[in-house]
Amino acid sequence: MRTPLLFNAFVMNTPSHLSPGLWTHPDDHGRDYKRLAHWTGLARLLEEGLFDALFIADSLGVSDVFGGNADTALQQAIHVPINDPFPLVSAMAVTTEHLGFGVTASVSYDHPVPFARRITTLDHLTDGRIGWNIVTSSLASAARNFGRTQLDHDARYELAEEFASVCYKLWEASWEDDAVRDDTKAGVYADPAKVHPIHHAGRFFEVPGIHLSEPSPQRTPLLFQAGASERGRRFAARHAECVFVGAPSKTVLKRSVSLIRDARRAAGLDPYGIRILAEHTVIAARDLATAQERLNAYRAHASASGALALMSGWIGHDLSRYGLDEPFRHIESNGIRTAVEAMSSADPNKVWTIGEIASWCGIGGLSPLSVGGPGEVADSLESWAEETDIDGFNLSYAVLPGSFRDFIEHAVPELQRRGLYKKSYAEGTLRRKLFGRDRLDAPHPAGLARAEMAASSRESRQSRKAEEPA
Amino acid sequence: MRTPLLFNAFVMNTPSHLSPGLWTHPDDHGRDYKRLAHWTGLARLLEEGLFDALFIADSLGVSDVFGGNADTALQQAIHVPINDPFPLVSAMAVTTEHLGFGVTASVSYDHPVPFARRITTLDHLTDGRIGWNIVTSSLASAARNFGRTQLDHDARYELAEEFASVCYKLWEASWEDDAVRDDTKAGVYADPAKVHPIHHAGRFFEVPGIHLSEPSPQRTPLLFQAGASERGRRFAARHAECVFVGAPSKTVLKRSVSLIRDARRAAGLDPYGIRILAEHTVIAARDLATAQERLNAYRAHASASGALALMSGWIGHDLSRYGLDEPFRHIESNGIRTAVEAMSSADPNKVWTIGEIASWCGIGGLSPLSVGGPGEVADSLESWAEETDIDGFNLSYAVLPGSFRDFIEHAVPELQRRGLYKKSYAEGTLRRKLFGRDRLDAPHPAGLARAEMAASSRESRQSRKAEEPA
C-alpha cells in the first residue's frame, strides 16, 4: 500500500490568483471573494473532497513592475484588490471539522505579540487546524507603504529567525501544560507559578512579558515555508514542517526537493521529516477530450498582459519593454535567468518567446499542468510524485471553485484506487493528521523552547523546596 | 411613539469580563471563550433578541497593579488569558444576518495599512456590519511588551488622530465609487485612473500607496469611542459616531453625557448626531423576588480580590495595600479621586470601604445594576435613559450567555410594549440601521477625505480633457 499524497488547495483573498484573465470566464467565481458564503462553501467542498488544507497566499504590496505602474495589475486584478486572509479562517472553521488552514503572514509588517495571540486564538477556535506560512516579504511597494526601506535579503531572514523565536517562546515557553487549572471549586483559573514571562531582548524585538493566551491544541501552528534561496532553504530546514515548492519541470523540481532534503541532512535532521508540496494545476474531466476542450475554453479567457504583469512582479523585471515575439532568454537580469532556466527545462530545445511565456503563465502561473480524464491525471500526478520525491501537491485553480470540484469528482476516486489519496481524515489537529503528534518537540526550536522552560521551572521549584524549613 | 433605545452586548474574548469570580458559577459559560460554537451561539441568541451589536473589549497587556504582579489576575482570569477579538467576527457573521460587531483595536500597536485592510475585509464579509472602537491603550504592561515606553496621554491622542486620518484616506480617498468596473466583457476589473495613492506623510506614519482593498459597504466602519478625559471628549466629538460611557450614578452619567454633547456643540456639530451608550448590568427574571434570588446567588460567587485587581488596573493604584474595612475615600491618588467621586455619587452620604467597593464591582464592574421582573427592569432602564439623556445601553453580563437570555426573555417584551425597544431590524449596514446612511459624509473627517478626493480627481480629469487637441 502506498502512502497517500498530501493535497492542499492554493488560493488568495483576491479576485484572481494564478490564472490571469480567467476571472472573466463564466465558470469562475473568484470575484465573489468578498462574500462569506463563497469561502464557507469552498471550505465545505474541499472537506467533502478530503483535501488536507486550504493554503492562502498573501501580499501587502501591489505589483507595479510591469510598465512601471500598477495599471495592468488593477485592470486584471493581479493580486489587487487583496483582502486580509485571516478573517476567512474562523468563518470557514464554522462549516468544517477537519480541513486545515495554512495562512501566509509576513514577519516584516507585524509584531510577534499580537501575531502570536492571533494565531493562538485561531488554533483554539479551529481546534488545532491552523498553519502559518512564514514569509519575509520581498515587495518593495509593501515596504514603502510601511514608511521603510526594505531590509536586504539576509537581514530579512535574520528578522524572520528572531520573529519566529519570540513566537516560539510565547507559544511554548510561557504557559506550562498544567498552568490552566480551570478549577471552579477552588476558584483558581490559572496558577501564576506556572505562567512565565519570556524575557526576550533581541535586535528587533523586546518582549519581557507573558503570552496573552493560554496554550492551544498545537501551541505552535503547523509551519509552512517556501524559501527558494540558499538562505531560505537553511531557514526552512530549521523551522518548516511543510515546504512549498514551485517549478515548471520535473528536472528543476527534483533538484529543488533534493536541495531541501540535503539542507535537512546538513542540519542533522531526518530529510523525510519534512513534507514537500509542489505547486500544480489540474484540469480534470470525465475524459481527455473534455478536459482538453475545457483547457482551450480557459485559454481563450487568459490575459497575456496579466500574465506578464504577474511574472514581472515575481522576477523584478519589466516585461512590458519587449515585443511578444522576442525571445525570452535574450533578456538579461538575475530573475530572468532563473525563470528562463526553469522554463527551458520544461523543453530544453525550445527558445521561448515572451508571448509563449505569457501563454504558459496564463493557467496556474509557472506551475505544471495535468490535463485529462481520471487515468491521465492520476498517471501524471503519480509520475510527478515518483520522479521528483515530493510528498504532495498545492493545487492552483483555473476557475474557482470549478477546478477543485472537477478534481474531486474526476481525479480523486482514481487516486484513491491507487492508494495515492486518503479515504478519510485522521482524527485530531492538523499536525496530528500529518505527523501523528499535536506539538513540536526538540530538536525543533519550538520544542526546545518548551523543554527549556519545563526544565528551568522544575529546577526553580526544587530549589524553592530545598530552601523551605524541614 | 418613543424612539427605541440602542442595546449592545458587552463582552471580551476572555473567560471573565466584568463580574470577577462569576466564572465559577455553574450558569456561566465564559470559560468556553476558546470554542467557536460559544460565540456563534451567542451571536444567534443576540440576533434573536434584536440586539444592535456585540461590543468586544480588548487589551494587549496584563493587569499587574494589584499586589505589584499578575498573580490575582491569572488566578481570577481578570482579562488574562485574553484572545484576539477579530477572529470572532467573521465566524459570528456566518450565523447571523443583522447583528453588528464593535471591535476594540488600539492605535498604539498596529500599523494603519494592515489594520485598514483587516477592517475593510470584515466590512465586506459581514455586508457592512463592522464597527471599530478606537482606543489609545493605557496599560504600561502592553507598551513594555512592544519594547517601548508608553507615549504620554496627549501624544497618544496625537497618534490616534494621525492613525485615524491615514485610515480615512485609505478607506475613503483611494478608490472612487466607480473604480471597480468588474466588467468581464471588456476584461477590466478596476479602472486605474480611479484608484489613487494617498501620499500620506506625517509624524508617525508614511503611507504613499493605495488602499489594498476595494471599497466596502460602509467604507469607514461605524466608529465607537470611550474617551473620558477632556482630550478624549474632543477626539470623540470629532470622530466618534457612538460613544460608550460608564458611570455608577445618574448624576455622574448625566454630567458625562452633557460634556460629550457640549464638545459636539463646541465643534460646530449636532449634539444629537452622536449616539451615547451607557454601561449597565441587568439581572432580569419573571419577578423581582426571583431576580433578587438570582443576584444573591451570583454575589456568592463574586471574588473580592478579583474585583480589586480589576479596579486597581483601572485606577492605576494598588488596592491590595489596604484592609477591606478601610474607607476608600481616604486613599489619595488621581485615579482614586475620580473613582471615589463616581462611587460616592451613587449614595452621597455613604463612606465606602474597600470591601464594599469590591462587592459593588463584583457584578458588572462599576456599571449600575437593574434587578427585577419585566416591570422593574423596564422602569429602571427608562428612568436612566430619561434622566441622563443617553441613547442606549451597553449591557454587561453577570453570567454568559444567561444574563442576555434573561434580558431577552423577561425585559425585552416589556420594553417593546413601551416603545423603548425595536420590534425588528432595519435593513442594510450597521450605519444605515443606526443613522439611515451607509457612509460617513462631511463634515466628518472621513467624509471630507472622500469629498476632497472626488473634487481633485474631477479637476484632474477636466484639465486632462482641456489639454487634449480639439
Side-chain angles (χ1 to χ4, degrees):
Chain A
M1 185 69 184
R2 279 176 290 193
T3 314
L5 297 163
L6 298 173
F7 284 89
N8 288 352
F10 192 27
V11 299
M12 205 169 189
N13 197 357
T14 181
S16 160
H17 186 201
L18 292 168
S19 300
L22 264 76
W23 64 272
T24 63
H25 191 285
D27 287 350
D28 185 64
H29 296 275
R31 292 174 298 144
D32 289 339
Y33 79 104
K34 296 172 288 182
R35 297 184 47 238
L36 210 47
H38 170 74
W39 295 104
T40 54
L42 176 64
R44 262 196 311 265
L45 171 72
L46 295 172
E47 180 153 305
E48 280 162 23
L50 301 176
F51 270 72
D52 292 286
L54 179 76
F55 190 92
I56 317 177
D58 191 29
S59 166
L60 273 160
V62 175
S63 178
D64 55 6
V65 175
F66 188 75
N69 58 52
D71 287 4
T72 305
L74 283 160
Q75 277 162 350
Q76 290 299 324
I78 303 298
H79 306 180
V80 61
I82 179 159
N83 280 350
D84 190 340
F86 276 96
L88 304 178
V89 175
S90 42
M92 293 189 293
V94 173
T95 59
T96 54
E97 191 188 338
H98 288 291
L99 186 69
F101 304 102
V103 187
T104 300
S106 170
V107 298
S108 300
Y109 309 119
D110 208 339
H111 189 283
V113 167
F115 175 76
R117 184 176 76 142
R118 188 173 316 135
I119 290 287
T120 300
T121 302
L122 287 171
D123 201 46
H124 279 302
L125 294 174
T126 62
D127 290 322
R129 292 191 275 151
I130 191 81
W132 171 29
N133 177 31
I134 312 173
V135 299
T136 60
S137 290
S138 59
L139 273 183
S141 67
R144 277 198 306 275
N145 254 351
F146 283 78
R148 299 192 203 146
T149 49
Q150 206 179 10
L151 290 174
D152 69 41
H153 185 266
D154 281 0
R156 288 209 307 273
Y157 273 99
E158 216 180 298
L159 170 66
E161 289 280 355
E162 188 179 333
F163 192 106
S165 157
V166 178
C167 288
Y168 297 151
K169 291 178 192 174
L170 291 168
W171 286 325
E172 305 280 349
S174 182
W175 295 64
E176 296 186 42
D177 280 336
D178 55 354
V180 174
R181 285 177 49 191
D182 195 7
D183 184 339
T184 54
K185 288 246 162 63
V188 175
Y189 189 80
D191 180 352
K194 295 184 173 179
V195 183
H196 312 289
I198 66 165
H199 301 303
H200 176 88
R203 175 180 164 194
F204 299 97
F205 304 107
E206 266 187 55
V207 182
I210 67 169
H211 188 33
L212 293 163
S213 303
E214 61 181 283
S216 62
Q218 301 184 115
R219 284 189 180 252
T220 296
L222 190 73
L223 299 172
F224 289 85
Q225 220 255 326
S229 65
E230 196 269 330
R231 183 68 189 82
R233 274 195 305 274
R234 262 195 292 141
F235 184 88
R238 193 172 131 78
H239 296 276
E241 301 173 81
C242 295
V243 174
F244 168 46
V245 288
S249 80
K250 287 177 185 164
T251 322
V252 175
L253 181 56
K254 190 178 175 172
R255 197 177 57 212
S256 294
V257 170
S258 100
L259 285 171
I260 292 164
R261 304 224 192 265
D262 286 349
R264 290 274 298 181
R265 230 174 254 118
L269 299 162
D270 175 7
Y272 290 90
I274 199 165
R275 301 281 187 274
I276 304 176
L277 292 101
E279 197 185 328
H280 205 95
T281 307
V282 172
I283 312 292
R286 62 169 191 276
D287 53 41
L288 179 59
T290 315
Q292 197 61 56
E293 208 173 280
R294 202 164 278 175
L295 176 62
N296 293 340
Y298 295 156
R299 287 223 189 274
H301 283 263
S303 158
S305 62
L308 293 176
L310 185 62
M311 191 136 180
S312 296
W314 286 338
I315 65 181
H317 186 88
D318 179 7
L319 296 174
S320 77
R321 294 194 241 146
Y322 310 95
L324 290 179
D325 295 334
E326 284 186 59
F328 191 47
R329 59 168 65 171
H330 296 166
I331 304 166
E332 277 300 319
S333 108
N334 230 340
I336 293 282
R337 265 198 298 274
T338 316
V340 165
E341 192 192 7
M343 301 300 302
S344 306
S345 70
D347 181 352
N349 301 315
K350 185 169 169 59
V351 176
W352 293 76
T353 64
I354 298 286
E356 283 168 331
I357 291 285
S359 169
W360 173 288
C361 280
I363 311 287
L366 280 173
S367 80
L369 268 178
S370 289
V371 183
E376 288 90 1
V377 169
D379 285 351
S380 173
L381 294 179
E382 188 167 4
S383 76
W384 275 88
E386 279 188 359
E387 292 169 38
T388 65
D389 198 20
I390 55 171
D391 301 293
F393 295 95
N394 241 10
L395 293 187
S396 301
Y397 63 87
V399 295
L400 188 67
S403 296
F404 296 127
R405 195 181 298 122
D406 290 339
F407 174 77
I408 291 165
E409 186 179 342
H410 300 293
V412 166
E414 177 59 22
L415 289 165
Q416 285 175 325
R417 216 186 47 78
R418 301 184 187 192
L420 294 168
Y421 204 99
K422 67 179 153 326
K423 291 185 174 165
S424 63
Y425 282 109
E427 288 303 312
T429 63
L430 183 56
R431 181 172 288 116
R432 179 165 293 280
K433 284 177 166 72
L434 265 62
F435 293 96
R437 59 175 179 268
D438 288 328
R439 291 176 176 179
L440 278 167
D441 296 317
H444 191 284
L448 281 174
R450 192 170 72 254
E452 278 163 24
M453 176 268 289
S456 92
S457 54
R458 213 167 26 239
E459 210 168 276
S460 84
R461 267 194 285 276
Q462 274 160 357
S463 79
R464 257 204 312 274
K465 237 182 195 163
E467 279 163 25
E468 279 168 16
Chain B
M1 184 73 183
R2 279 177 288 196
T3 314
L5 298 164
L6 298 173
F7 284 89
N8 288 351
F10 193 26
V11 299
M12 204 170 190
N13 197 356
T14 180
S16 160
H17 186 200
L18 291 168
S19 300
L22 264 76
W23 63 272
T24 63
H25 191 285
D27 286 351
D28 184 63
H29 295 275
R31 293 174 298 144
D32 288 338
Y33 78 104
K34 295 171 289 182
R35 298 184 48 237
L36 210 48
H38 170 74
W39 294 104
T40 53
L42 176 64
R44 261 196 312 265
L45 172 72
L46 295 172
E47 181 153 306
E48 280 162 23
L50 302 176
F51 269 74
D52 292 285
L54 179 76
F55 190 92
I56 317 177
D58 191 28
S59 166
L60 273 160
V62 175
S63 177
D64 54 7
V65 175
F66 188 75
N69 58 52
D71 287 5
T72 304
L74 284 160
Q75 278 162 349
Q76 290 299 323
I78 303 298
H79 306 181
V80 60
I82 179 159
N83 280 349
D84 190 340
F86 277 95
L88 304 178
V89 174
S90 44
M92 292 189 293
V94 173
T95 59
T96 54
E97 191 188 338
H98 289 291
L99 187 69
F101 303 103
V103 187
T104 301
S106 170
V107 298
S108 301
Y109 309 119
D110 209 337
H111 189 282
V113 168
F115 175 75
R117 184 176 76 143
R118 187 173 317 135
I119 290 287
T120 301
T121 303
L122 287 171
D123 201 45
H124 279 301
L125 295 175
T126 63
D127 290 322
R129 292 191 274 152
I130 191 82
W132 171 28
N133 176 31
I134 312 174
V135 299
T136 60
S137 289
S138 59
L139 272 184
S141 67
R144 276 198 306 274
N145 254 352
F146 284 77
R148 300 193 202 145
T149 50
Q150 205 179 10
L151 290 173
D152 68 40
H153 184 266
D154 280 1
R156 287 209 307 274
Y157 273 101
E158 217 180 297
L159 170 67
E161 289 280 355
E162 188 180 335
F163 192 106
S165 157
V166 179
C167 287
Y168 297 152
K169 291 178 192 174
L170 291 168
W171 287 325
E172 305 280 349
S174 182
W175 295 63
E176 296 186 42
D177 280 337
D178 56 354
V180 174
R181 284 177 49 190
D182 195 6
D183 184 340
T184 55
K185 288 245 162 64
V188 175
Y189 189 80
D191 180 352
K194 295 184 172 177
V195 183
H196 311 289
I198 66 165
H199 300 303
H200 176 88
R203 175 180 164 194
F204 299 98
F205 304 106
E206 265 187 56
V207 182
I210 67 168
H211 188 33
L212 294 162
S213 303
E214 61 181 282
S216 62
Q218 301 184 116
R219 285 190 181 251
T220 296
L222 190 73
L223 298 172
F224 289 85
Q225 220 254 328
S229 65
E230 197 269 331
R231 182 69 189 82
R233 273 194 305 274
R234 262 194 293 141
F235 184 89
R238 192 171 132 77
H239 296 276
E241 302 173 80
C242 294
V243 175
F244 168 46
V245 288
S249 80
K250 287 176 184 165
T251 322
V252 175
L253 181 57
K254 189 178 176 173
R255 198 177 54 215
S256 294
V257 171
S258 100
L259 286 170
I260 293 165
R261 304 224 191 264
D262 287 349
R264 289 274 299 182
R265 230 174 254 119
L269 298 163
D270 175 8
Y272 290 90
I274 199 166
R275 301 282 187 273
I276 304 177
L277 292 101
E279 197 185 329
H280 205 95
T281 308
V282 172
I283 311 291
R286 61 169 192 275
D287 54 41
L288 179 60
T290 314
Q292 197 61 55
E293 208 173 281
R294 202 163 278 176
L295 176 62
N296 292 340
Y298 294 156
R299 287 223 188 276
H301 283 264
S303 158
S305 62
L308 293 176
L310 186 62
M311 190 134 181
S312 295
W314 286 338
I315 64 181
H317 187 88
D318 179 6
L319 296 174
S320 77
R321 293 194 241 147
Y322 310 95
L324 291 178
D325 296 333
E326 283 187 62
F328 191 47
R329 59 166 67 169
H330 296 166
I331 304 166
E332 276 301 318
S333 109
N334 230 339
I336 292 282
R337 264 198 298 275
T338 317
V340 164
E341 192 191 7
M343 302 299 303
S344 305
S345 70
D347 181 351
N349 301 316
K350 186 168 168 59
V351 176
W352 293 76
T353 64
I354 298 285
E356 282 168 332
I357 292 285
S359 167
W360 174 287
C361 280
I363 311 286
L366 280 172
S367 80
L369 267 178
S370 289
V371 183
E376 288 91 2
V377 169
D379 284 351
S380 174
L381 294 179
E382 187 168 3
S383 77
W384 275 89
E386 280 190 357
E387 292 168 39
T388 64
D389 198 21
I390 56 171
D391 300 293
F393 296 95
N394 241 9
L395 294 188
S396 302
Y397 63 86
V399 295
L400 188 67
S403 296
F404 297 126
R405 194 181 299 123
D406 290 339
F407 174 77
I408 292 165
E409 186 180 341
H410 300 293
V412 166
E414 176 59 22
L415 289 166
Q416 284 175 325
R417 215 186 48 79
R418 301 183 186 192
L420 294 169
Y421 204 99
K422 67 178 153 324
K423 290 184 175 166
S424 63
Y425 282 109
E427 288 303 312
T429 63
L430 182 57
R431 181 172 289 118
R432 180 165 291 279
K433 284 177 166 72
L434 265 63
F435 294 96
R437 60 175 178 267
D438 288 328
R439 292 177 175 177
L440 279 167
D441 296 317
H444 191 284
L448 281 174
R450 193 169 73 254
E452 278 163 24
M453 176 268 291
S456 91
S457 53
R458 216 169 21 240
E459 209 168 277
S460 83
R461 266 194 286 274
Q462 275 160 355
S463 78
R464 257 203 312 273
K465 238 183 194 163
E467 280 163 26
E468 280 166 16

